[in-house]
Amino acid sequence: MLPLLVRLVILMFTGRLLSSPFRSWVCRAALLVAMVLPVLQLNLRDDSATSRLSPHSPILRSGLGSHATSPSARVSFDTLRAVSRHVVRRTNEVRQERALSPLKTDSALASVACAHNADMFRRDFFEHINPDGETPQDRVSKMHRRFVGGVGENLYSQDRFRKKPRALGEQMVNKWMDSPAHRKNILNTSVTHFGVCVLQRGSALHATQVFGKVVGYLRSPLPRTVSPGAVLPVSFSQTFPPGTVIARYDFLDPRTDRRLRGPTLFTDSLRIPDTTGTVRPRFHILGTGEYDIYRGPDLIIRNVSDSSHH
């Protein structure tokens, strides 16, 4: 039934079914079926002025539960953490079954995933791009102060569920694997790390996987605010693969998508542009005949005199 409805909806919107009554019937029928819509967009390389997710990213919702959940059956926070652990386990199992390296967990990426789940519940949306226009990469660049690399994301939503943590975690991964877009994220050979969070409110839950192609981890977290023209000591504690050379850096103004400074030779420091506002440090890795460019943590440039008034 589900594949047939999907085909009918596609035909309808491509103009191959022109009958208005038939189009109306398809819409009503589609609403009655719990359709699985994948959620993912992976942008592992940021070599353009901005790194935007496609507005047509698929999103995964599941209405598999058939039983109402009473308040007494509410899943505890500990149980949700157990579900997250089983999502991690099963994700790495499916990678290893295909001779791929398991992903390392990153607690800061998991915190980004939890914050996005909570935000979706609080502001009643279910998308990769939040109402403020922030993408998964934007959220990681804001919250993960040591991360340099590319970011992807899988989302899952379900209502009215009755499964134990192991079964629920495996169900989520299996549903993602049934979706080509999510599957591509899970099996991406250039992804190195990920964080998982499953959060519940009432009878509904949201699950988020945040994937990272980590080029490197900074030795110390970057401060959120810096002064114009300052020289900021910056070094890497780890790079992936080991021995990766950070050759250059520059700064992007997210308001105009224009480069503010650079590219400048990277020598374990960043010279901050003589301006104010939010900027995006970007690190250049020499690839095959060209540079691959990856975002680091966002910075807010503010005069000391401005800070003293807040």
Side-chain angles (χ1 to χ4, degrees):
M1 182 65 177
L2 179 57
L4 174 61
L5 283 175
V6 172
R7 288 196 293 270
L8 291 174
V9 171
I10 292 173
L11 289 171
M12 177 183 69
F13 283 104
T14 54
R16 294 167 65 182
L17 293 177
L18 301 178
S19 169
S20 179
F22 188 78
R23 185 184 301 113
S24 177
W25 178 87
V26 172
C27 290
R28 288 196 300 269
L31 290 174
L32 295 176
V33 178
M35 297 181 65
V36 174
L37 305 171
V39 169
L40 140 73
Q41 175 64 36
L42 187 59
N43 184 20
L44 291 177
R45 182 178 169 191
D46 180 11
D47 55 3
S48 60
T50 56
S51 175
R52 296 278 181 193
L53 298 177
S54 166
H56 305 294
S57 298
I59 294 196
L60 176 61
R61 293 184 186 272
S62 178
L64 298 175
S66 59
H67 305 286
T69 304
S70 66
S72 61
R74 181 169 180 173
V75 178
S76 70
F77 180 72
D78 286 340
T79 302
L80 296 178
R81 291 180 63 182
V83 175
S84 298
R85 288 195 294 270
H86 285 295
V87 171
V88 169
R89 174 189 57 78
R90 183 57 187 153
T91 298
N92 278 331
E93 282 180 355
V94 299
R95 286 180 61 88
Q96 291 176 297
E97 287 166 1
R98 292 157 179 80
L100 299 176
S101 300
L103 301 178
K104 298 179 177 67
T105 56
D106 182 323
S107 60
L109 291 179
S111 294
V112 174
C114 285
H116 189 51
N117 284 339
D119 188 36
M120 289 190 292
F121 274 130
R122 181 173 59 85
R123 294 198 279 180
D124 193 24
F125 73 98
F126 186 67
E127 301 289 345
H128 292 293
I129 301 177
N130 69 21
D132 300 324
E134 293 178 337
T135 67
Q137 178 84 56
D138 294 334
R139 293 188 287 273
V140 171
S141 296
K142 178 186 289 186
M143 296 179 63
H144 198 328
R145 307 306 299 170
R146 297 179 59 227
F147 180 96
V148 175
V151 175
E153 184 178 80
N154 282 353
L155 301 181
Y156 179 100
S157 180
Q158 183 172 331
D159 196 11
R160 299 179 181 178
F161 58 93
R162 278 188 179 177
K163 283 183 180 290
K164 292 185 177 180
R166 182 186 182 96
L168 186 55
E170 291 181 349
Q171 173 184 289
M172 291 175 183
V173 176
N174 292 340
K175 289 297 179 182
W176 278 324
M177 289 296 290
D178 288 340
S179 157
H182 297 89
R183 180 187 177 95
K184 184 177 180 181
N185 256 6
I186 291 173
L187 301 181
N188 195 299
T189 56
S190 58
V191 171
T192 57
H193 295 70
F194 75 142
V196 175
C197 181
V198 182
L199 195 64
Q200 181 201 8
R201 187 179 71 177
S203 64
L205 68 78
H206 291 334
T208 298
Q209 289 179 308
V210 178
F211 297 91
K213 177 184 178 178
V214 181
V215 173
Y217 285 116
L218 300 177
R219 192 173 303 280
S220 301
L222 281 190
R224 293 186 182 276
T225 60
V226 293
S227 299
V231 177
L232 192 64
V234 172
S235 62
F236 286 80
S237 61
Q238 291 177 287
T239 56
F240 300 91
T244 295
V245 177
I246 314 298
R248 312 185 308 187
Y249 71 94
D250 64 14
F251 292 93
L252 196 74
D253 183 343
R255 297 166 296 186
T256 63
D257 292 337
R258 295 179 59 185
R259 183 182 291 165
L260 293 172
R261 178 186 290 276
T264 302
L265 183 67
F266 178 69
T267 56
D268 289 343
S269 65
L270 302 179
R271 184 172 292 277
I272 306 302
D274 191 13
T275 185
T276 58
T278 299
V279 297
R280 292 175 178 168
R282 305 191 305 174
F283 295 86
H284 299 220
I285 313 299
L286 184 59
T288 307
E290 62 180 359
Y291 287 99
D292 294 334
I293 303 176
Y294 298 92
R295 278 175 67 177
D298 290 352
L299 296 172
I300 300 173
I301 305 176
R302 181 180 298 159
N303 287 309
V304 176
S305 57
D306 293 339
S307 301
S308 62
H309 288 88
H310 292 280

